[in-house]
Amino acid sequence: MGRFAKFICYLAVLLILSACTTSKSTVSNNVNLSRYEYASIINNDTYHIPAKLMEYEIQLFDAVENSRLKLVSDARIYELSPHQLKKLLLVKYGVNVQQEETVVTVNFIDYETGRPIASCRGAYSSLGIAGAGYDIKEAIKRVSKQISITFPK
């Protein structure tokens, strides 16, 4: 088999495997998402992004901000009225980087009840060819799209 044919075969396998990465959103059946207006990304001592991924935190904030939800600093939650608190979602995110696949998950939790109401997942894989940084950026783009679909403007 010639070099070109091998290259085409490898490219086809790569495309098939990268197509297996799934970006999706899961929403609770018993929740009306339209009632939520505010989001606060949790970033405290018990929950924070690993230092090596800090540069991507800006993109994660942008992903939430590009939805219809208005960002509220976690330090200013207590300035919201009781009526506004009923419309507040807490946001937690996680990044899982592996050679096979990079997954970024953003979870939305009802402030009053602590109940998870939605989870958006963005996944991407270049199978290590493009590097972890590229895979994270692409996974964040995909989770951003899922957030925009889940909470449209």
Side-chain angles (χ1 to χ4, degrees):
M1 191 184 294
R3 281 188 164 172
F4 184 72
K6 284 183 183 179
F7 175 75
I8 295 297
C9 287
Y10 288 129
L11 186 61
V13 169
L14 177 65
L15 289 173
I16 290 169
L17 290 175
S18 65
C20 294
T21 61
T22 305
S23 298
K24 64 178 184 172
S25 294
T26 303
V27 178
S28 171
N29 291 330
N30 303 321
V31 174
N32 177 5
L33 293 181
S34 66
R35 78 177 207 142
Y36 296 100
E37 293 180 22
Y38 306 98
S40 181
I41 298 174
I42 298 173
N43 193 7
N44 57 30
D45 292 337
T46 58
Y47 181 79
H48 60 280
I49 194 166
K52 67 181 181 178
L53 301 175
M54 285 299 279
E55 65 183 280
Y56 303 107
E57 190 171 37
I58 293 168
Q59 295 169 340
L60 288 168
F61 272 72
D62 287 348
V64 174
E65 203 168 39
N66 288 333
S67 72
R68 67 174 164 74
L69 299 172
K70 296 176 197 120
L71 277 178
V72 175
S73 166
D74 57 347
R76 300 192 75 157
I77 289 175
Y78 303 104
E79 296 175 13
L80 296 175
S81 71
H83 179 71
Q84 290 171 316
L85 289 174
K86 290 181 183 206
K87 299 177 179 189
L88 175 65
L89 290 171
L90 298 177
V91 181
K92 293 183 181 182
Y93 53 85
V95 179
N96 185 4
V97 179
Q98 296 180 353
Q99 186 172 356
E100 311 82 47
E101 180 179 55
T102 298
V103 177
V104 176
T105 306
V106 180
N107 297 311
F108 296 87
I109 300 158
D110 183 279
Y111 176 78
E112 286 194 315
T113 65
R115 183 184 193 285
I117 58 119
S119 181
C120 298
R121 177 185 193 270
Y124 186 81
S125 178
S126 68
L127 298 175
I129 295 171
Y134 182 79
D135 287 3
I136 292 170
K137 287 178 186 175
E138 292 302 313
I140 290 173
K141 284 180 188 176
R142 291 182 179 192
V143 79
S144 180
K145 182 177 180 183
Q146 291 301 312
I147 292 169
S148 294
I149 291 168
T150 306
F151 299 97
K153 288 187 177 186

